Amino acid sequence: MSIPKPLRKDPRTRRRVALFVLFIGLAILSILYGLMVGAISIPAKEVWTSLFSSTDSEFRQIVWNLRLPRVFTGLLIGICLAISGAFLQGVFRNPLADPGIIGVSSGAGLAAVSIMILFPEHMSLVPLAAFLGALLAAAIIYALAWNKGAPTGRMILAGVAVNSLLGAGMTTVMLLNSEKVQSVLPWLAGSLNGKSWPHFDTIAPYACIGILLSFFLIKHANVLILGDEVAKLLGNRVERSRMLVILMSTFMAGVAISVAGLIGFVGLVVPHIVRMIVGNDYKYFLPLSAIGGGALVVAADTSARAWFDPIEFPVGVLLALLGAPFFLYLLKRGLKV
């Protein structure tokens, strides 16, 4: 007697469940790595005791006040960047689209650098300025690409042009105020150095809202990736869907950049790897990318501060040093672009 279809174990379902378990396991290991490793190594047993015991010890102070907020902040930043990159690559149907390439990061960077250099007394406005800069850059790109619609090809070209222009603007501000550049270099490099509970409290509400809202856009992203003509045939309002997905991508990138600075390659490389494993279905592709992005940033930041001790090496620089060769390796192995 044959087994009814609903009772059969679908190999694809088992594989996807296994992937979720694997990625969650990697994220947990990266968090544990971040809590254990540093200038003072803390055994796993002591980490556990510090987290769940009220004993006031040196290890507990290090774990709770120094490492835990930094790890959690890095986790949210990686999630936001990976979601942003995954959405942008889908809506543009281009694996090279990410916040750093199409101009969103440069918009955030120019706004933040302008505040830090020209109005240092208003440093508290840097997160808001970075987010508004990213949003304005996305609006300019969309407006420049608009011609009875905003085709993806025109948006990519507009994004590259705007990225160059905003990058030049950022360089000009720094050159005209060279005596103040030193103070913004860690932000430009992308760093989690000194991140504490106030930084986590700043990013957490916006990141959680963005993560929740992003799952409501999965259907739109799945349709857009099929192409404009197919999406229209399926009854999708292409321009509205594209605008919603781009706004969400900009929001997520702005949230991450506002706290950590210009961290690159997470939104580019992580979605590539996940897509190679699980395919283009955003129902699986998006959450796995988010988990992978969070795990990558936490692991990279921990390595950046542990490998180069006593120097606090910026995580953005380490990700670029490791990410660029790995991306070239993927291209060499036949990654389609």
Side-chain angles (χ1 to χ4, degrees):
M1 183 178 68
S2 62
I3 300 174
K5 288 185 178 181
L7 299 180
R8 294 177 185 172
K9 293 184 178 180
D10 186 350
R12 289 183 300 176
T13 301
R14 290 202 304 268
R15 182 169 177 268
R16 286 163 178 166
V17 171
L19 285 172
F20 272 103
V21 172
L22 173 63
F23 273 60
I24 292 172
L26 290 175
I28 292 172
L29 287 176
S30 70
I31 292 171
L32 184 61
Y33 176 51
L35 296 177
M36 292 175 59
V37 176
I40 298 176
S41 296
I42 302 178
K45 182 180 178 180
E46 292 295 338
V47 169
W48 181 267
T49 302
S50 300
L51 288 174
F52 300 103
S53 172
S54 59
T55 304
D56 189 14
S57 64
E58 180 186 7
F59 287 156
R60 179 176 170 81
Q61 292 297 323
I62 293 172
V63 169
W64 272 100
N65 298 329
L66 297 178
R67 294 184 183 173
L68 197 61
R70 182 166 177 165
V71 164
F72 281 175
T73 302
L75 188 71
L76 289 180
I77 287 168
I79 290 172
C80 290
L81 290 174
I83 288 177
S84 179
F87 271 143
L88 287 175
Q89 290 177 16
V91 74
F92 289 126
R93 300 193 302 280
N94 188 316
L96 296 180
D98 88 322
I101 292 176
I102 69 163
V104 172
S105 295
S106 294
L110 177 57
V113 166
S114 298
I115 293 291
M116 287 187 283
I117 290 180
L118 302 178
F119 308 101
E121 66 276 12
H122 298 297
M123 288 292 288
S124 60
L125 296 178
V126 168
L128 177 62
F131 170 67
L132 293 178
L135 189 63
L136 181 60
I140 292 172
I141 293 167
Y142 205 85
L144 290 174
W146 184 267
N147 183 17
K148 297 180 180 179
T152 56
R154 288 174 62 89
M155 291 193 68
I156 291 173
L157 293 175
V160 171
V162 169
N163 185 42
S164 299
L165 181 62
L166 294 175
M170 201 185 323
T171 303
T172 301
V173 171
M174 290 189 291
L175 286 175
L176 294 177
N177 301 272
S178 56
E179 71 282 359
K180 301 178 182 178
V181 169
Q182 192 68 30
S183 63
V184 304
L185 288 181
W187 194 91
L188 291 173
S191 176
L192 293 176
N193 183 23
K195 297 298 179 284
S196 57
W197 286 117
H199 297 94
F200 175 76
D201 293 340
T202 298
I203 190 177
Y206 301 103
C208 291
I209 291 171
I211 292 168
L212 290 174
L213 292 178
S214 67
F215 285 95
F216 288 97
L217 296 178
I218 285 177
K219 181 179 178 181
H220 294 276
N222 273 335
V223 174
L224 287 174
I225 204 171
L226 300 174
D228 291 1
E229 296 301 323
V230 175
K232 290 177 182 177
L233 289 174
L234 293 174
N236 184 269
R237 297 172 63 181
V238 173
E239 293 304 330
R240 187 188 68 171
S241 294
R242 183 180 290 128
M243 184 175 66
L244 288 173
V245 173
I246 291 174
L247 283 175
M248 178 55 63
S249 302
T250 303
F251 176 75
M252 298 301 276
V255 167
I257 293 169
S258 67
V259 173
L262 303 179
I263 295 179
F265 277 96
V266 177
L268 181 64
V269 174
V270 172
H272 271 310
I273 298 172
V274 175
R275 186 183 291 108
M276 292 169 66
I277 297 172
V278 77
N280 286 318
D281 188 347
Y282 274 80
K283 186 165 62 174
Y284 309 102
F285 171 49
L286 189 69
L288 286 174
S289 294
I291 298 169
L296 175 62
V297 171
V298 172
D301 178 59
T302 305
S303 300
R305 60 182 166 84
W307 294 352
F308 303 94
D309 185 59
I311 300 172
E312 282 278 358
F313 202 71
V315 63
V317 176
L318 181 62
L319 282 170
L321 290 173
L322 298 178
F326 184 71
F327 187 62
L328 292 174
Y329 168 76
L330 291 179
L331 290 174
K332 187 68 175 178
R333 289 293 301 270
L335 181 67
K336 294 181 180 180
V337 297

